Amino acid sequence: HEIVNPDKYTGVGVTSLPIFTSIIKGFRRGEMTLITGPTGSGKTTFLGQLSLDFAEQGVNTLWGSFEIKNTRLVSKLLQQYAREPLPVGQPDKLEDLRALAD
């Protein structure tokens, strides 16, 4: 049935990566996806982009990393979400950082 009707088995697409979505046909509920690669190959950046995209669509997402500390991970995600460098070391910008985190 899936081979004959592939459009009925598409999952949640990644709106910010349409070509990627057309290749994998989205992420389907109940499936587990593993992203592997050497350090520095962009796994965290890629997963951050997926997470932001899914959050904007209201899709719950869970992922973790054995390579990066949670505090660094949150910092990277916030920076991706802000689409600009975080105001680190700028006490006068603390409210901006709090607003971004909320």
Side-chain angles (χ1 to χ4, degrees), residues 41-71:
S41 63
K43 299 178 300 291
T44 301
T45 302
F46 176 69
L47 289 170
Q49 182 61 42
L50 288 179
S51 296
L52 292 172
D53 199 297
F54 289 159
E56 290 172 352
Q57 295 181 60
V59 176
N60 293 330
T61 306
L62 172 68
W63 64 280
S65 172
F66 294 108
E67 293 181 357
I68 188 169
K69 291 182 179 183
N70 289 339
T71 52

Side-chain angles (χ1 to χ4, degrees), residues 1-51:
H1 193 260
E2 186 175 346
I3 292 172
V4 178
N5 302 299
D7 292 338
K8 292 185 178 182
Y9 292 90
T10 59
V12 176
V14 184
T15 56
S16 62
L17 301 169
I19 295 172
F20 178 74
T21 297
S22 71
I23 293 168
I24 68 160
K25 306 299 183 222
F27 289 88
R28 289 160 293 280
R29 185 178 184 92
E31 292 185 354
M32 180 171 66
T33 304
L34 298 175
I35 308 295
T36 65
T39 300
S41 63
K43 299 178 300 291
T44 301
T45 302
F46 176 69
L47 289 170
Q49 182 61 42
L50 288 179
S51 296

Side-chain angles (χ1 to χ4, degrees), residues 66-83:
F66 294 108
E67 293 181 357
I68 188 169
K69 291 182 179 183
N70 289 339
T71 52
R72 176 89 173 112
L73 180 59
V74 169
S75 175
K76 286 178 74 78
L77 288 174
L78 282 171
Q79 186 163 327
Q80 274 185 274
Y81 179 71
R83 294 173 173 85

